[in-house]
Amino acid sequence: MASLTNKNIILGVSGSIAAYKAPDIVRRLQDLGAEVRVILTQGGSQFITELSLQVTSRNKVHDNLWDKEVELSMGHIELAKWADAILIAPTSANTIANLASGKADDLLSSVVLASDCPILIAPAMNQQMYASASVQANLKTLTKHQTLIIAPESGKQACGDIGEGRLAQPIDIAKQVGNIFQTTKLSGKKVLITLGATIEAIDPVRYLSNHSSGKMGSALSDACIEAGAQVTLVHGNISVILNQKAQIISVMSAREMYQSVMDNIAGQDIFIACAAVSDYSTKNIEKNKIKKSEKTLILELTFTKDILQAVCKLTQKPLCIGFAAETQNLVENAQNKLKNKGCDAIILNDVSRCDLGFKSDENEVLFLTQENSIKIEKNSKQKLGRKIIEILSEQFF
Ligand SMILES: Cc1cc2nc3c(=O)[nH]c(=O)nc-3n(C[C@H](O)[C@H](O)[C@H](O)COP(=O)(O)O)c2cc1C
């Protein structure tokens, strides 16, 4: 199935009577998961308002090559780099001629020239115009330049003529854009990942926490996004910059992380518990800073709720993957965790080694299921993340 999850699509709208269908095309692209930005040509603006396209795309419409303010922020080169694909629908005969001759005298043609992503055009015009030698010659040139042509339909036209030239159906146009991207087994799947360290307050200044940096969870998030999944991240304390294509939720304590996971778990296909969640939290958080004294300080700690176990017990449970950070009896402890929590796989890492695990950029893990044990050799967390997601896709989807 075509998917545009995590894909940035520029929709160019040019001066055809069919431009009134552009908001519908925006919606269809969004239905497949795309983020859409619209470039409206001067001709296009005669047939559809900027406002309709701004509201449907939920983004400012770009319509002027010479806008000084815009060139300071997302100018034409940034727009070209932002796009994973450019779709022009409808494409007027004039825009087809501009593209075929390599002109760059408006925003849309400049962005097309400045971009190295796939270009798709959906011509729409009077049947006689479409059949004309010039339009056909221009289309041939564009095909030679690797532009994908979404053929128009035949039928009754707005002008009363009957023939080939009607804009293809918006749903089919969106599907054809989706089809140019390779789909993976995770395309369109929803994945919730916890990462980082929770923080358990002792008083307004001090807390209990651990060494987790969030690097492994962030690498898994990147791998899932690359594979076309829709990712939600619930993170505690981290020292990495997260991929902005994910929905990001920031929490502090184990209790907050539990609540946030439970609030967001419905509808998820996969849950990956990668966070280092504190097993204990302080029974009472002191309102004021505890004064220094020479007496022994005793903190009363209570057990926190087990997030992975709670998700595994849900009646509509997603595929559940846990992490086991062990320092001794590694495999035995991880296998017990797999059984006791009822999850589908455990990723075991040895945190006693100082060259791996917490804070390190590298890791070496064992992917354990009831039936299999797959060793993933020492590698960067980024590559390891991809490998884990590849194995997960093969084993479970
Ligand atoms: C009422 C009307 C309808 C038009 N419909 C089309 C059309 O469907 N397809 C087309 O290629 N040109 C059509 N045109 C001509 C274009 O709008 C014109 O060539 C314009 O310069 C295109 O500009 P653009 O390619 O920069 O958007 C129409 C013009 C008018 C006045």
Side-chain angles (χ1 to χ4, degrees):
M1 202 191 82
S3 167
L4 290 171
T5 306
N6 307 320
K7 297 288 182 258
N8 294 336
I9 308 296
I10 287 179
L11 172 65
V13 179
S14 63
S16 154
I17 190 87
Y20 76 90
K21 294 184 182 165
D24 193 17
I25 300 173
V26 172
R27 283 267 155 79
R28 303 297 181 169
L29 293 167
Q30 288 168 336
D31 288 347
L32 293 181
E35 170 80 11
V36 182
R37 283 180 180 269
V38 176
I39 298 179
L40 186 59
T41 67
Q42 270 210 331
S45 68
Q46 302 299 312
F47 299 93
I48 181 83
T49 66
E50 184 186 329
L51 188 62
S52 326
L53 293 163
Q54 181 176 304
V55 171
T56 41
S57 70
R58 301 187 287 265
N59 277 312
K60 178 186 157 27
V61 170
H62 303 261
D63 58 359
N64 186 1
L65 179 62
W66 306 109
D67 188 329
K68 294 185 199 99
E69 292 297 310
V70 171
E71 276 303 308
L72 281 176
S73 54
M74 196 181 237
H76 69 285
I77 300 295
E78 272 76 19
L79 259 177
K81 285 186 181 146
W82 175 85
D84 293 306
I86 300 175
L87 163 70
I88 307 176
T91 325
S92 67
N94 178 63
T95 291
I96 289 173
N98 284 349
L99 299 180
S101 60
K103 280 178 83 171
D105 61 355
D106 70 357
L107 182 61
L108 182 58
S109 52
S110 303
V111 168
V112 168
L113 281 187
S115 156
D116 64 353
C117 69
I119 315 287
L120 300 96
I121 62 168
M125 64 199 72
N126 165 271
Q127 51 86 26
Q128 194 59 54
M129 274 175 103
Y130 185 67
S132 71
S134 308
V135 169
Q136 289 304 315
N138 286 335
L139 288 174
K140 255 197 200 137
T141 305
L142 288 174
T143 307
K144 250 196 255 159
H145 297 172
Q146 313 302 327
T147 302
L148 294 155
I149 319 277
I150 302 174
E153 290 184 347
S154 239
K156 190 150 193 231
Q157 301 201 288
C159 56
D161 281 9
I162 296 175
E164 197 178 359
R166 263 180 20 181
L167 182 70
Q169 295 301 319
I171 192 161
D172 296 328
I173 293 176
K175 273 188 200 156
Q176 293 212 38
V177 181
N179 286 342
I180 63 172
F181 297 103
Q182 207 192 355
T183 51
T184 73
K185 289 177 177 173
L186 288 197
S187 293
K189 292 260 183 292
K190 293 177 106 186
V191 185
L192 194 153
I193 304 173
T194 64
L195 64 156
T198 58
I199 285 182
E200 310 304 324
I202 296 171
D203 65 18
V205 199
R206 306 176 181 98
Y207 60 79
L208 298 171
S209 191
N210 59 64
H211 294 295
S212 175
S213 60
K215 284 179 184 166
M216 192 65 242
S218 168
L220 286 167
S221 150
D222 288 346
C224 288
I225 288 168
E226 237 171 60
Q230 241 174 291
V231 177
T232 303
L233 301 174
V234 179
H235 74 87
N237 194 25
I238 50 172
S239 56
V240 275
I241 296 169
L242 299 176
N243 192 321
Q244 294 302 305
K245 285 187 174 164
Q247 188 200 342
I248 298 169
I249 303 166
S250 170
V251 298
M252 289 271 274
S253 64
R255 191 173 54 81
E256 281 177 25
M257 188 170 274
Y258 175 91
Q259 200 48 53
S260 177
V261 168
M262 288 306 163
D263 289 347
N264 289 282
I265 200 70
Q268 299 289 342
D269 298 295
I270 303 169
F271 174 58
I272 306 180
C274 190
V277 184
S278 178
D279 293 328
Y280 299 94
S281 66
T282 43
K283 191 168 181 197
N284 299 306
I285 302 170
E286 294 297 329
K287 238 165 95 204
N288 296 310
K289 185 180 170 193
I290 300 169
K291 282 283 158 211
K292 184 169 150 188
S293 88
E294 287 184 359
K295 281 196 226 143
T296 305
L297 176 68
I298 296 172
L299 289 173
E300 197 175 351
L301 302 178
T302 54
F303 209 53
T304 57
K305 284 188 191 166
D306 188 319
I307 303 174
L308 179 57
Q309 197 165 44
V311 175
C312 289
K313 279 189 179 154
L314 292 172
T315 33
Q316 299 240 308
K317 111 183 199 335
L319 182 85
C320 290
I321 315 290
F323 267 76
E326 302 291 345
T327 54
Q328 53 185 349
N329 304 330
L330 311 180
V331 177
E332 196 188 325
N333 284 342
Q335 264 159 351
N336 283 340
K337 195 166 176 179
L338 185 70
K339 241 186 271 152
N340 298 343
K341 302 213 182 200
C343 51
D344 301 281
I346 285 282
I347 295 158
L348 164 66
N349 54 133
D350 179 354
V351 286
S352 67
R353 284 172 60 176
C354 54
D355 60 327
L356 298 173
F358 285 141
K359 285 188 177 166
S360 162
D361 287 328
E362 293 192 316
N363 212 351
E364 177 182 292
V365 299
L366 207 58
F367 190 101
L368 278 176
T369 63
Q370 298 281 9
E371 298 83 27
N372 290 316
S373 156
I374 303 165
K375 185 170 181 192
I376 311 179
E377 296 294 343
K378 183 173 168 181
N379 217 322
S380 71
K381 286 185 176 172
Q382 213 58 28
K383 288 201 177 133
L384 212 77
R386 280 203 199 103
K387 191 75 199 156
I388 290 171
I389 295 308
E390 201 182 297
I391 294 174
L392 180 154
S393 302
E394 278 164 13
Q395 299 272 314
F396 297 106
F397 292 97

